[in-house]
Amino acid sequence: MSDIGAPTAYRELRTRAGPGERARRFVKYRALLLMLVPGFVFLIIFNYIPMYGAILAFKEFKIMGGIANSPWVGMKYFDKAFNDPHFYVVLKNTLIISFYKLLFGFPVPILFAILLNELPGRRFKRWVQTISYLPHFISWIVLSGIFITIFSLEGPINLLLKAMDHLPIIFMADEHYFRSILVGTSIYQSFGWGSIIYLAAIAGIDPQLHEAAIIDGAGRFKRMRYITLPMLVPVISIMLILSMGSILDAGFDQIFNMYNAQVMDVADIIDTYVYRIGLINANYSYSTAVGLFKSVVALILVLGVNRIVKTIGGNEHTLW
């Protein structure tokens, strides 16, 4: 394998050349290209081949006939979804929960990465990083059990309220608190892991910028504000664009394990709705139509936000 790094190889492979030169480059970087094969196979098997099932949204699925032999029904199930009042309830819940998670959760990894970078002592910094990453590797089944216990009538929060002569609150069955609990626990689970990419971007900032600012008398907060944060803008822009692609993904694992019948009106989202009508009620065509609608909206949001960021900040802040 060549001593030239992967970024150099990528640029060289993309450089225009004749067929002979292009073949020579592929042979030269064959080891790097072979490393891409598992990723491509994974994408084809689990991302592209399942796309065939999307045609169920336009068919009346018959189990005995299979997808290919099921009759076409056109936009029947899309019309059914748009005329179903409960569909708009789950759509509203999905948008509200996702917007809250984006509004309150998106800045947290950025602020955490900036503050963590300013911590003195490499050992203490690594300890804080490790602690913040741990919740990401815990299943929502386990985390949900922990949070349900914490917010239960006999949990520590209600015990504290009782000690303050306050009536206990059934947090997990109260519509006024449930969404806030969802957002807060989601941030707790993801902010440490989400800060990794920002820490990597901070590590790439030229230290001479900070040295010059220190000579000019700038303190930590001024350097964070005028050097670190502006240098993170391209990464923040790209992460915001990617986040918009999951704006209709309010977190199935979390909500499915935490919601109950008492909070269904504020917690039922598109994913849980699709799960019930598709896997439980076996209405595969209708659930596929709702899922396809979600994917199309997500694609439109990604393209729209990418266009807005490109208009405001230029091509260097966008995906394409």
Side-chain angles (χ1 to χ4, degrees):
M1 182 175 174
S2 172
D3 293 333
I4 301 177
T8 304
Y10 174 74
R11 288 193 296 269
E12 188 171 334
L13 286 169
R14 289 200 60 181
T15 305
R16 292 188 176 183
E21 177 63 18
R22 192 179 298 114
R24 186 192 66 80
R25 291 175 183 174
F26 273 93
V27 172
K28 179 180 180 181
Y29 299 112
R30 59 188 180 277
L32 292 174
L33 294 171
L34 283 173
M35 293 172 65
L36 295 175
V37 173
F40 278 120
V41 172
F42 179 88
L43 286 174
I44 291 171
I45 294 176
F46 294 102
N47 292 81
Y48 284 91
I49 293 178
M51 286 183 182
Y52 172 70
I55 65 174
L56 272 178
F58 307 96
K59 288 192 168 193
E60 184 74 50
F61 181 62
K62 305 294 183 182
I63 295 180
M64 300 304 295
I67 297 177
N69 297 321
S70 297
W72 293 92
V73 293
M75 303 294 288
K76 171 184 174 181
Y77 288 105
F78 289 96
D79 293 336
K80 180 180 178 180
F82 297 145
N83 291 320
D84 182 4
H86 189 65
F87 171 76
Y88 294 99
V89 173
V90 299
L91 179 60
K92 182 186 77 171
N93 291 338
T94 304
L95 290 172
I96 291 175
I97 294 173
S98 297
F99 178 75
Y100 283 167
K101 287 184 176 181
L102 183 64
L103 179 64
F104 297 105
F106 185 79
V108 173
I110 302 171
L111 295 175
F112 178 72
I114 294 174
L115 294 175
L116 186 63
N117 184 64
E118 298 297 327
L119 282 178
R122 183 175 298 179
R123 180 175 297 180
F124 179 68
K125 186 183 297 186
R126 288 179 178 176
W127 182 81
V128 173
Q129 278 184 284
T130 303
I131 296 299
S132 67
Y133 295 166
L134 283 178
H136 174 79
F137 298 100
I138 303 176
S139 168
W140 268 115
I141 298 175
V142 177
L143 283 177
S144 297
I146 295 172
F147 292 129
I148 290 172
T149 302
I150 291 174
F151 290 104
S152 67
L153 282 174
E154 300 301 326
I157 295 180
N158 270 313
L159 290 177
L160 181 62
L161 291 176
K162 290 177 182 178
M164 299 170 62
D165 295 328
H166 194 287
L167 291 175
I169 301 172
I170 309 176
F171 290 101
M172 300 303 294
D174 194 322
E175 295 181 354
H176 297 92
Y177 295 101
F178 191 76
R179 284 176 178 165
S180 299
I181 292 173
L182 286 179
V183 175
T185 54
S186 175
I187 293 173
Y188 167 79
Q189 190 262 354
S190 62
F191 81 95
W193 184 257
S195 66
I196 291 177
I197 190 168
Y198 300 109
L199 287 169
I202 291 173
I205 298 175
D206 189 348
Q208 293 182 359
L209 295 174
H210 288 280
E211 293 171 2
I214 292 172
I215 293 174
D216 289 339
R220 285 183 179 272
F221 286 100
K222 285 191 175 181
R223 285 186 279 123
M224 288 163 55
R225 179 180 177 183
Y226 294 107
I227 297 177
T228 306
L229 194 56
M231 296 296 288
L232 288 177
V233 168
V235 178
I236 294 173
S237 301
I238 293 174
M239 295 303 295
L240 178 61
I241 295 170
L242 295 175
S243 297
M244 292 306 296
S246 58
I247 194 67
L248 292 183
D249 183 9
F252 172 79
D253 293 344
Q254 178 193 17
I255 295 175
F256 180 75
N257 286 286
M258 294 182 71
Y259 79 157
N260 53 73
Q262 299 297 321
V263 294
M264 188 71 74
D265 289 340
V266 299
D268 195 18
I269 59 173
I270 290 178
D271 289 336
T272 54
Y273 182 57
V274 168
Y275 168 80
R276 287 199 311 278
I277 62 178
L279 294 181
I280 296 180
N281 299 334
N283 196 341
Y284 303 113
S285 297
Y286 183 39
S287 62
T288 303
V290 175
L292 187 59
F293 166 79
K294 171 187 169 182
S295 300
V296 171
V297 172
L299 175 62
I300 293 172
L301 287 172
V302 169
L303 295 176
V305 174
N306 188 72
R307 174 60 61 181
I308 292 171
V309 173
K310 181 180 292 186
T311 302
I312 296 174
N315 293 335
E316 68 273 12
H317 297 166
T318 59
L319 291 174
W320 57 85

